[in-house]
Structure formats: structure tokens, C-alpha cells
């Protein structure tokens, strides 16, 4: 109990992230899906190997996955801003 006598509430939640990576030649594509239980966010990103770069597939995986995750992060921030605005009573 806190000093005011109320019971402190705790919340645990689990989000699931799926990344599917596809490679075709010098192009790597990632499909990312984040399931929050309440919402599902999706992103798709690519990386293309430059002809001068070494042929190391995991580098394309890292760039494409990183770009997809950054996009998901931006989507989460926009969702938070939108949800906050829905609860904002506006000017008084």
C-alpha cells in the first residue's frame, strides 16, 4: 500500500515481433509484424548490396531489419501521439 492507502497496480504485457527476411540476388527484404495484443503494426524494408561491397548476406539482413524496426518505432510513436490526443481535453 502507498501512503494514501491505495494498492499500487502493476501491469505486465508481452508483445510479439516477427521478422521474415527474404533474399534475392543483391536485394534483401524484411517484413516485420509487431503484435501488441491490442494492435498489429506492419513494416516492410529493403537493403540492396552495392556492387563494390563484399557478398555478406547478414549485412543486408541487418540493414533491412534495422530499417523495418526504425519504421515500427516511428509507427509506435505516432500511435502514442494519436492516443494521447484522444484523451486530451483540449484548450480550457
Amino acid at each position: 500500500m502507498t501512503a494514501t492507502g491505495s494498492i499500487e497496480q502493476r501491469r505486465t504485457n508481452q508483445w510479439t515481433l516477427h521478422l521474415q527476411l527474404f533474399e534475392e540476388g543483391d536485394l534483401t527484404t524484411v517484413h516485420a509484424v509487431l503484435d501488441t495484443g491490442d494492435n498489429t503494426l506492419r513494416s516492410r524494408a529493403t537493403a540492396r548490396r552495392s556492387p563494390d561491397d563484399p557478398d555478406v548476406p547478414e549485412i543486408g539482413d541487418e540493414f533491412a531489419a534495422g530499417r523495418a524496426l526504425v519504421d515500427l518505432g516511428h509507427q509506435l510513436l505516432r500511435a502514442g501521439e494519436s492516443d494521447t490526443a484522444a484523451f486530451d481535453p483540449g484548450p480550457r
Side-chain angles (χ1 to χ4, degrees):
M1 290 192 154
T2 64
T4 60
S6 64
I7 297 176
E8 198 173 309
Q9 291 185 356
R10 294 184 185 203
R11 181 174 167 263
T12 302
N13 203 351
Q14 180 171 321
W15 292 4
T16 304
L17 174 66
H18 293 278
L19 297 177
Q20 291 182 301
L21 294 87
F22 305 91
E23 292 182 25
E24 186 173 335
D26 293 337
L27 183 68
T28 301
T29 303
V30 172
H31 296 173
V33 179
L34 177 64
D35 182 355
T36 69
D38 296 320
N39 295 303
T40 301
L41 302 176
R42 300 173 192 281
S43 179
R44 179 182 173 148
T46 60
R48 182 175 300 278
R49 183 177 70 86
S50 171
D52 298 331
D53 290 341
D55 187 8
V56 182
E58 75 180 54
I59 294 173
D61 295 349
E62 292 163 348
F63 275 111
R67 290 171 181 155
L69 292 173
V70 166
D71 180 57
L72 285 176
H74 289 159
Q75 290 182 49
L76 283 169
L77 290 170
R78 284 192 301 270
E81 290 169 353
S82 176
D83 290 347
T84 299
F87 288 98
D88 186 3
R92 293 179 189 176

